[in-house]
Amino acid sequence: MTDEPRVTARRAALFVVLASLAFAASGPLARYARPVHPLAIAFGRVALAAVALSLLDLRAIVRSAVGLSPRQRAAVLCAGLLLAVHFALFLWGLDRTSLAAALSLVSLEPLAVVLCAWAFFGVRPTRSEQAGVLLATVGAVVIARAAGTGDHRLSGDLMVVGSTVLYGLYVSFARALRDALPARSYAALVYGSAAVFLAAALPFVPGAIEGVAPPPVHAALAIVALALVPTVVGHTAVQIAARRMSPSIVALVSPGETLGGIVIGALWLHATPTALEIAGAAIILVGATVALLGSSASAAASAG
């Protein structure tokens, strides 16, 4: 077994900042891609990401896919299905609620990972993680109370919350494949699988096909940017980092996405959050930070 390169505090901080910036562009870009249907945006995002990664090293990806056992191939398909539904729910929810509300609820993702690890792997959350989950839940309720103001709708909030739960399932499910193939090959195969599932769903969703071709120029550019920045750069970087860094460090990307996305949305799209949305976002960020710092401290104590 080869030794993993040591991850310094500087490298960890650099990863969190750069990945957060990449993810922060996701919500504003998806909103800018209107009037393309959210499901078509999700399809274009993962399909283009799979193509981009395949162009980098198609032979390595094919070798990795051929070397998988039937069970591992089924696991890749299941991971692709989870990612497809995650993106579909997030983008659909984003289209049905305010940008600030959707991005605030994204910070529930690290807590979803904690709860899924508890439910499926018996990893009991620490007291700090339990407190963080409680705080974040309160924040989500505060945000829900702002529904009905402007373009903020509870139905969209619930879709985004559902996407965070699926993200927790996706991360927990993908753990079994960490050693089966390289991170970049894994990402390309999962993105490709997600694209197949979304393509199969498009004909059955009213209005989705009309959003595929031909999209307005500004929407097409936004979808390409979604594929390259938050997906190829952001998601792939997280998958690589998850193999070398602690989960608590990797999960810090979600609160960073919330803060960065709200700022980008306000400056670029003039999507100014309401007072309740700001309050709810602050509570969720505090809850996520408490849980993540508690996870980090617990891991350090165990290592010592």
Side-chain angles (χ1 to χ4, degrees), residues 13-40:
L14 182 63
F15 158 74
V16 171
V17 170
L18 293 180
S20 296
L21 289 174
F23 276 105
S26 177
L29 282 171
R31 179 60 63 89
Y32 187 67
R34 284 174 168 176
V36 176
H37 194 281
L39 200 66

Side-chain angles (χ1 to χ4, degrees), residues 112-179:
V113 173
V114 169
L115 293 177
C116 287
W118 184 20
F120 295 102
F121 296 96
V123 181
R124 185 178 179 82
T126 64
R127 289 185 178 180
S128 294
E129 289 171 336
Q130 293 176 33
V133 170
L134 180 60
L135 275 172
T137 302
V138 171
V141 171
V142 170
I143 288 178
R145 287 178 62 84
T149 304
D151 56 359
H152 188 163
R153 297 292 181 271
L154 184 59
S155 60
D157 290 355
L158 293 176
M159 286 183 176
V160 175
V161 171
S163 77
T164 66
V165 174
L166 286 174
Y167 180 80
L169 288 171
Y170 166 72
V171 171
S172 299
F173 194 89
R175 286 180 179 179
L177 293 168
R178 286 188 300 177
D179 299 325

Side-chain angles (χ1 to χ4, degrees), residues 26-289:
S26 177
L29 282 171
R31 179 60 63 89
Y32 187 67
R34 284 174 168 176
V36 176
H37 194 281
L39 200 66
I41 296 174
F43 166 72
R45 175 179 184 171
V46 291
L48 291 175
V51 170
L53 287 177
S54 297
L55 291 176
L56 293 177
D57 197 349
L58 181 59
R59 290 184 179 180
I61 295 171
V62 172
R63 285 197 303 268
S64 298
V66 170
L68 293 175
S69 66
R71 184 174 182 178
Q72 289 172 331
R73 291 173 188 169
V76 168
L77 289 175
C78 289
L81 177 60
L82 287 172
L83 188 64
V85 183
H86 160 72
F87 277 144
L89 280 178
F90 170 70
L91 293 170
W92 221 328
L94 175 66
D95 191 59
R96 293 193 175 189
T97 192
S98 70
L99 180 63
L103 293 175
S104 299
L105 294 170
V106 163
S107 284
L108 293 172
E109 286 181 351
L111 308 176
V113 173
V114 169
L115 293 177
C116 287
W118 184 20
F120 295 102
F121 296 96
V123 181
R124 185 178 179 82
T126 64
R127 289 185 178 180
S128 294
E129 289 171 336
Q130 293 176 33
V133 170
L134 180 60
L135 275 172
T137 302
V138 171
V141 171
V142 170
I143 288 178
R145 287 178 62 84
T149 304
D151 56 359
H152 188 163
R153 297 292 181 271
L154 184 59
S155 60
D157 290 355
L158 293 176
M159 286 183 176
V160 175
V161 171
S163 77
T164 66
V165 174
L166 286 174
Y167 180 80
L169 288 171
Y170 166 72
V171 171
S172 299
F173 194 89
R175 286 180 179 179
L177 293 168
R178 286 188 300 177
D179 299 325
L181 68 172
R184 196 163 66 186
S185 296
Y186 168 77
L189 292 173
V190 170
Y191 297 156
S193 301
V196 171
F197 286 117
L198 289 167
L202 283 173
F204 301 97
V205 178
I209 290 293
E210 289 80 355
V212 175
V217 174
H218 78 276
L221 292 175
I223 293 172
V224 171
L226 270 171
L228 297 179
V229 181
T231 310
V232 170
V233 175
H235 272 272
T236 308
V238 164
Q239 291 174 21
I240 294 173
R243 302 178 177 213
R244 301 179 179 180
M245 299 181 185
S246 69
S248 59
I249 294 296
V250 175
L252 282 172
V253 171
S254 292
E257 175 184 359
T258 294
L259 291 174
I262 289 176
V263 171
I264 293 173
L267 295 177
W268 179 27
L269 303 175
H270 307 292
T272 305
T274 65
L276 271 179
E277 289 172 342
I278 293 174
I283 296 172
I284 289 177
L285 288 172
V286 170
T289 303

